[in-house]
């Protein structure tokens, strides 16, 4: 008798895990991070800071590199970029050898830098020392008044001083001529109005305005540094019988050396780039005989008045080298020493 054929229900059933294993794997839908890898944690920080670098590259780095490239070319902007002509160092040689107005502007710039810059610190240092030791609760208010010219618009300041230095109706001339009537010291002052637009007076007028604007700024810098000096040093020196000027000479000045270096560096960089004050006080012309024209004014006139952007770029980089050399000399003189 043959064996009985098993029915459908009697067939062997495979285990569940084998059935699952035999099923084809299902593909997962990629998430948003997998589709866009720039959203990952690795790239997120760079994404957030990228606006700064984009703006810097467009408005900072590109103009800087383009000005270097332009300084080796002759170019008329009205004719487009195709009109640029490579001239190598011809622009630099012309500025250094044949441009008499550049030589005059460099002399004026150096003169203004020294005459307006040196008195800033000679006045700001003792002034800050006086603020630190002599003033009480009114110190912040008075310091704020001295700091006010620095945050005031340069254009507004220059326009006001243009009126003050007016030959016929200016307050400065009225004050000087009235002092001429004072006994004993009257001979030091003029008896007639001064024409401040004359070459012999133009630079003095500009230097005074620059000095007036920045002396308060330097005083605030020195005052902030003095407030970090321990008061125990002054108290100990007072017990030893030191006078205020001796404290200033042997305690304040040595400990202010880093701040003096910083403040003088800012003065060098700023004064060698003077533009707004002399431009407005001289009406944009530099005055009679270009007595008040600075290197920055000459660079501006060469580019936007004469239309010679290649030479103007060369002037800009020569001025940069001058500022770098002056800063290096200041570093050797006042920089940190071991």
């Amino acid at each position: 008798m043959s064996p009985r054929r098993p029915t459908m229900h009697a067939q062997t059933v495979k285990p569940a895990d084998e059935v699952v294993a035999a099923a084809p794997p299902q593909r997962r839908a990629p998430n948003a991070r997998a589709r866009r890898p720039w959203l990952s944690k690795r790239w997120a920080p760079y994404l957030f800071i990228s606006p700064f670098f984009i703006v810097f590259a467009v408005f900072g780095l590109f103009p800087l590199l383009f000005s270097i490239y332009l300084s080796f070319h002759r170019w008329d902007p009205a004719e487009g970029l195709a009109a640029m002509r490579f001239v190598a160092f011809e622009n630099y040689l012309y500025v250094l050898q044949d441009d008499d107005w550049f030589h005059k502007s460099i002399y004026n710039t150096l003169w203004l830098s020294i005459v307006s810059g040196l008195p800033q610190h000679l006045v700001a240092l003792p002034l800050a020392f006086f603020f630190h030791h002599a003033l009480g609760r009114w110190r912040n208010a008075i310091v704020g008044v001295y700091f006010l010219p620095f945050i005031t618009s340069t254009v507004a300041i220059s326009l006001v001083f243009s009126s003050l230095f007016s030959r016929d109706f200016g307050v400065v001339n009225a004050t000087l001529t009235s002092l001429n009537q004072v006994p004993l010291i009257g001979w030091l002052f003029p008896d007639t109005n001064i024409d401040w637009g004359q070459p012999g007076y133009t630079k003095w007028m500009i230097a005074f305005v620059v000095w007036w604007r920045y002396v308060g700024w330097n005083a605030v810098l020195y005052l902030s540094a003095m407030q970090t000096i321990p008061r125990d040093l002054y108290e100990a020196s007072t017990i030893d019988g030191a006078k205020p000027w001796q404290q200033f000479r042997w305690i304040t000045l040595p400990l202010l050396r880093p701040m003096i270096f910083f403040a003088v560096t800012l003065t060098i960089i700023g004064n060698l780039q003077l533009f707004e004050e002399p431009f407005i006080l001289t009406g944009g012309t530099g005055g009679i005989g270009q007595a008040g024209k600075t290197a920055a004014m000459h660079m501006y006139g060469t580019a936007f008045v004469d239309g010679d952007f290649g030479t103007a770029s060369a002037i800009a980089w020569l001025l940069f080298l001058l500022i770098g050399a002056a800063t290096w000399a200041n570093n050797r003189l006042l920089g940190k020493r071991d």
Side-chain angles (χ1 to χ4, degrees):
M1 189 174 189
S2 61
R4 187 176 178 180
R5 186 179 181 180
T7 61
M8 183 182 299
H9 299 285
Q11 293 180 357
T12 306
V13 180
K14 295 182 178 181
D17 54 351
E18 294 183 8
V19 176
V20 175
Q26 296 181 356
R27 297 180 60 185
R28 292 184 177 181
N31 55 21
R33 182 175 298 176
R35 290 195 305 267
R36 294 187 291 271
W38 48 271
L39 288 176
S40 63
K41 293 181 178 179
R42 178 181 179 183
W43 296 103
Y46 300 99
L47 178 65
F48 291 135
I49 65 174
S50 61
F52 165 78
F53 289 101
I54 293 173
V55 173
F56 173 75
V58 174
F59 297 101
L61 185 61
F62 171 74
L64 183 69
L65 298 178
F66 185 70
S67 68
I68 299 176
Y69 177 78
L70 190 59
S71 66
F72 298 102
H73 291 75
R74 286 290 180 87
W75 181 47
D76 184 0
E79 299 180 5
L81 294 176
M84 298 182 68
R85 182 169 61 88
F86 181 74
V87 294
F89 290 95
E90 183 178 325
N91 291 329
Y92 291 93
L93 294 177
Y94 166 75
V95 171
L96 292 175
Q97 297 177 358
D98 303 325
D99 193 351
D100 294 334
W101 289 127
F102 173 75
H103 303 157
K104 178 72 172 180
S105 66
I106 287 294
Y107 168 77
N108 294 337
T109 301
L110 294 175
W111 191 96
L112 290 171
S113 299
I114 296 173
V115 174
S116 67
L118 186 60
Q120 290 178 25
H121 301 277
L122 294 179
V123 173
L125 266 171
L127 187 64
F129 184 78
F130 172 76
F131 287 161
H132 184 58
H133 291 279
L135 298 181
R137 59 180 182 177
W138 298 102
R139 181 175 60 188
N140 293 335
I142 296 177
V143 170
V145 172
Y146 275 87
F147 187 72
L148 189 62
F150 178 76
I151 61 177
T152 305
S153 171
T154 306
V155 176
I157 290 175
S158 301
L159 290 175
V160 170
F161 273 96
S162 296
S163 300
L164 295 177
F165 281 99
S166 174
R167 182 185 62 181
D168 299 323
F169 307 103
V171 176
V172 175
N173 276 333
T175 304
L176 293 177
T177 53
S178 62
L179 290 175
N180 179 261
Q181 307 300 323
V182 179
L184 299 180
I185 63 171
W187 62 275
L188 295 173
F189 302 96
D191 56 353
T192 58
N193 290 342
I194 297 175
D195 185 2
W196 296 99
Q198 294 299 316
Y201 300 103
T202 301
K203 286 195 289 289
W204 289 103
M205 175 180 62
I206 298 172
F208 177 81
V209 175
V210 175
W211 171 84
W212 177 85
R213 187 181 180 210
Y214 290 100
V215 66
W217 158 254
N218 288 290
V220 171
L221 289 180
Y222 293 135
L223 178 61
S224 64
M226 289 179 187
Q227 291 175 345
T228 64
I229 299 176
R231 299 190 64 87
D232 298 343
L233 298 177
Y234 294 106
E235 294 174 357
S237 63
T238 302
I239 295 175
D240 291 338
K243 304 297 182 182
W245 67 269
Q246 293 175 320
Q247 294 177 343
F248 178 77
R249 170 64 181 85
W250 299 105
I251 298 177
T252 304
L253 281 181
L255 295 179
L256 284 183
R257 187 185 186 93
M259 180 55 72
I260 295 175
F261 167 71
F262 175 72
V264 172
T265 301
L266 293 181
T267 301
I268 291 173
I269 296 174
N271 283 6
L272 291 178
Q273 299 181 85
L274 278 179
F275 179 80
E276 294 94 339
E277 293 89 348
F279 185 85
I280 297 175
L281 290 171
T282 61
T285 63
I288 301 175
Q290 307 296 306
K293 174 178 278 190
T294 62
M297 288 180 62
H298 182 59
M299 176 184 64
Y300 172 84
T302 303
F304 296 100
V305 177
D306 301 335
D308 190 353
F309 280 78
T311 304
S313 298
I315 294 173
W317 284 102
L318 290 174
L319 183 60
F320 168 78
L321 294 178
L322 176 62
I323 294 173
T327 305
W328 175 84
N330 179 55
N331 183 42
R332 298 288 296 178
L333 182 63
L334 298 175
K336 183 178 179 181
R337 299 177 182 176
D338 295 332

